Amino acid sequence: MQISNRDSVHSFDGSTIRELAGPAWTAARHQSLAEAIVPAGGQTLEHRHLETEEIYYFVGGRGRMRLGEEESDVAAGDCVVIPPGIAHKLWARPDGDLVLLCACAPAYSDGDTEMIIRPGDGS
């Protein structure tokens, strides 16, 4: 049995995403699970995964999410399914971090991730 704990897992390149399980280092072969923290007032880079389906489950804080062309408020307890190929982005409210679990199937891969640039989108 392999048990990982978020406090003992190193974040990627000093970012606020920590992979808790995935093929690179656990027995998981077809999926991955990560914790992401968007700091208060911060935002993620908009991106999409060409083949990977993703599920975001929000466990703390409040913010906004863009999924395709649709935007909505999100908060702890909310769950959002992100189909492959659909661009998505998060913003945390200024009063606290937005914390979520990210499940990917197939497992997350940098090669499957495409960044989206929208002119003037700093909001």
Side-chain angles (χ1 to χ4, degrees):
M1 177 184 310
Q2 185 174 25
I3 299 173
S4 60
N5 180 285
R6 69 167 299 281
D7 293 330
S8 63
V9 177
H10 297 290
S11 62
F12 294 122
D13 301 325
S15 72
T16 56
I17 298 176
R18 292 181 173 94
E19 186 174 78
L20 301 170
W25 65 283
T26 69
R29 292 293 159 246
H30 306 290
Q31 59 187 328
S32 61
L33 178 67
E35 176 194 64
I37 300 173
V38 183
Q43 60 185 288
T44 63
L45 296 173
E46 188 167 9
H47 63 282
R48 68 175 150 232
H49 308 286
L50 304 177
E51 295 182 21
T52 299
E53 176 180 81
E54 199 167 17
I55 297 174
Y56 282 2
Y57 179 66
F58 296 90
V59 297
R62 297 178 299 150
R64 283 192 71 70
M65 180 168 182
R66 178 186 296 151
L67 182 62
E69 297 302 319
E70 189 176 351
E71 286 189 24
S72 183
D73 290 334
V74 292
D78 291 344
C79 184
V80 178
V81 176
I82 305 165
I86 304 298
H88 48 287
K89 178 181 178 99
L90 294 170
W91 293 266
R93 291 182 49 99
D95 57 349
D97 296 345
L98 181 61
V99 184
L100 60 145
L101 296 176
C102 310
C104 294
Y108 175 83
S109 161
D110 285 341
D112 184 50
T113 304
E114 180 178 275
M115 297 309 203
I116 308 295
I117 306 297
R118 290 185 190 228
D121 188 14
S123 59

